[in-house]
Amino acid sequence: MSTSLSPLLAPMLSSAAMRAVCDDVTCLQHMLDFEAALARAEAATGVIPATAAGSIGKACKAGAFDLAALAEAATRSGNIAIPLVKALTADVAKADADAARYVHWGATSQDVIDTAAMLGLRAAIGALLSDIDRAIAGFGKLARQHRDTAVVARTWLQHALPMPFGLKLAEYAAALHRSRTRLQRLRSETLALQFGGAAGTLAALGDKGLVVAERLAQELKLPLPDAPWHTHRDRIAEAASVFAIVAGTCGKIARDIQLMMQTDVAEAFEPSGEGRGGSSTMPHKRNPVAAATALAAATMAPNLAATIFAAQVQDHERSAGPWHAEWPTLPMLQLVTSGALAAIVDIAEGLEVDAARMRVNLDATHGLIMAEAVTMALAEKIGKSEAHHLIEAASKKAVAGKQHLRDVLTSDAKITAQLSRERIAELFEPMAYQGVSQALIDRLLASLDAK
């Protein structure tokens, strides 16, 4: 299988479904699908003989073409469509010399390549949506299971407050769902036929240009834009941005899982399996391999998207150079995005959660994680500034004396004058201080039902 990733690395960094989408034979077939659909559209509108369309369509089979020869010829012609059309014309001529006259009638090479890219993007979005649905479902299920599981919320990598682990998981699902919406919108609103002829005027078709374009769009099931867009690449750039956002969201989730898998944290783990996450020298290791894949993709995707953004700056009506830069970049971006998402599906469907260890970690600071809860309760009695001062001093004393904050507070007359020992004990229950977390979980989970 030929992709823009090394065959040795492709299975690690991309999904099988996306490798099929980005396969050279598949991409070539999309170009030939354009040629066959063009012939049918022109036959239907009386531009070429009806018999010609049948002969052209029969020859539009990617397996009949020599990819290596086309690639070599493209180095001389400047793009792959020119030698492809030449080869297709020759093949059609073998069976129907008259039909060969009408191959690629009124189109230009960019029409072929850009429309094939649109067909590829449509298939790529389909592959991503299939996986993203699985990841959303996986994290949604976990969120419901762990809505009452307390875990440390970390800010600046430090212990901050307790939170329900289910809230974290619901946020993962909701972020992925937002990308799902973007992908659906991209498929329905951004993909479009490219058909403009040599300079975007369809002059070669006379007054039949628009009727042919309309029929061609119907044949390929692509929206017909208001006009050809040869050097207006916002559609491609929008696709790149959506893919990069998907990869980035996957990277964020992967970073969290990677950190939670640290030996010193050990709160949640990727699914285990024979030979998975091992070391070549250390038999005890359990490395976060899926997270590593997602993080690799999240590192690569922004730069690939940046190349697509830079390629928007194109000259006049047809461009040389920036357009060419899209060809290897867009498939690569599709591939690594699929790899990130496939890794996250793996995590979402097999995450192992250690709730007991989460509780141990909540107690690791000897009650300091509940300092805000005590401060706010005390503030109701004596005001926030004074309460903050008292709890800050108590926290420092607890650290210096290696004591639990609760013990320091219950031995401080200034505190116990305002809060009973029983009330102080209640304030050290993590899930008693979660604010509106449960309502937020409900809201996030409800958002997953939006289509």
Side-chain angles (χ1 to χ4, degrees), residues 133-150 164-174 177 348 351 353 431 434 437-451:
D133 283 344
R134 291 175 59 190
I136 292 168
F139 284 126
K141 179 180 179 181
L142 286 167
R144 293 178 180 90
Q145 291 174 351
H146 292 285
R147 65 183 306 150
D148 295 318
T149 301
F165 189 47
L167 178 57
K168 197 177 191 78
L169 295 162
E171 287 170 347
Y172 296 163
H177 187 271
L351 187 69
V353 179
M431 289 301 282
Q434 58 174 308
S437 293
Q438 295 301 319
L440 295 177
I441 292 170
D442 288 338
R443 288 164 64 90
L444 290 166
L445 292 177
S447 76
L448 306 183
D449 296 328
K451 298 299 182 182

Side-chain angles (χ1 to χ4, degrees), residues 119-410:
L119 295 174
L121 277 170
R122 184 169 66 192
I125 292 168
L128 292 177
L129 285 172
S130 177
D131 274 351
I132 211 166
D133 283 344
R134 291 175 59 190
I136 292 168
F139 284 126
K141 179 180 179 181
L142 286 167
R144 293 178 180 90
Q145 291 174 351
H146 292 285
R147 65 183 306 150
D148 295 318
T149 301
V151 70
V152 174
R154 296 173 172 90
T155 61
W156 292 43
L157 291 177
Q158 306 297 304
H159 286 209
L161 296 172
M163 69 178 291
F165 189 47
L167 178 57
K168 197 177 191 78
L169 295 162
E171 287 170 347
Y172 296 163
L176 289 165
H177 187 271
R178 291 193 294 275
S179 276
R180 182 183 189 274
T181 300
R182 293 185 190 99
L183 287 165
Q184 289 177 313
R185 185 167 59 242
L186 184 68
R187 183 169 61 182
S188 63
E189 298 179 8
T190 303
L191 303 188
L193 175 72
Q194 174 72 288
F195 184 52
T201 64
L202 290 171
L205 296 176
D207 63 358
K208 292 289 188 73
L210 278 178
V211 294
V212 171
E214 289 170 355
R215 185 58 182 257
L216 178 56
Q218 292 171 11
E219 291 283 346
L220 293 172
K221 295 181 174 58
L222 282 172
L224 178 67
D226 293 330
W229 44 276
H230 289 141
T231 48
H232 291 278
R233 313 304 289 178
D234 52 290
R235 289 178 171 86
I236 302 293
E238 185 175 356
S241 69
V242 171
F243 289 164
I245 289 170
V246 173
T249 294
C250 292
K252 184 274 182 289
I253 296 169
R255 178 70 77 199
D256 283 359
I257 301 303
Q258 186 182 67
L259 291 171
M260 285 189 284
M261 280 187 68
Q262 291 181 106
T263 304
D264 304 297
V265 179
E267 293 175 343
F269 302 87
E270 292 180 6
S272 59
E274 182 66 29
R276 175 170 177 151
S279 165
S280 61
T281 60
M282 296 172 284
H284 69 283
K285 291 294 292 295
R286 183 176 179 180
N287 292 322
V289 292
T293 293
L295 286 163
T299 301
M300 297 167 69
N303 291 315
L304 293 167
T307 298
I308 299 294
F309 296 157
Q312 290 182 94
V313 184
Q314 301 199 5
D315 42 290
H316 297 304
E317 280 61 57
R318 299 279 302 287
S319 183
W323 178 47
H324 297 62
E326 294 175 354
W327 303 343
T329 307
L330 188 60
M332 178 74 84
L333 179 54
Q334 293 172 187
L335 286 164
V336 298
T337 301
S338 76
L341 189 52
I344 293 304
V345 169
D346 184 44
I347 291 171
E349 293 183 339
L351 187 69
E352 298 175 15
V353 179
D354 189 337
R357 178 59 183 240
M358 288 178 175
R359 183 61 196 230
V360 169
N361 288 342
L362 280 163
D363 294 334
T365 57
H366 304 294
L368 293 180
I369 197 168
M370 303 308 299
E372 184 190 83
V374 179
T375 299
M376 297 309 296
L378 188 60
E380 294 178 2
K381 308 286 187 179
I382 62 174
K384 185 157 188 314
S385 178
E386 180 63 17
H388 188 279
H389 173 74
L390 287 174
I391 302 306
E392 182 179 30
S395 297
K396 290 179 179 178
K397 183 177 180 179
V399 172
K402 294 182 171 49
Q403 295 177 272
H404 197 285
L405 178 60
R406 181 186 57 245
D407 296 334
V408 173
L409 295 177
T410 54

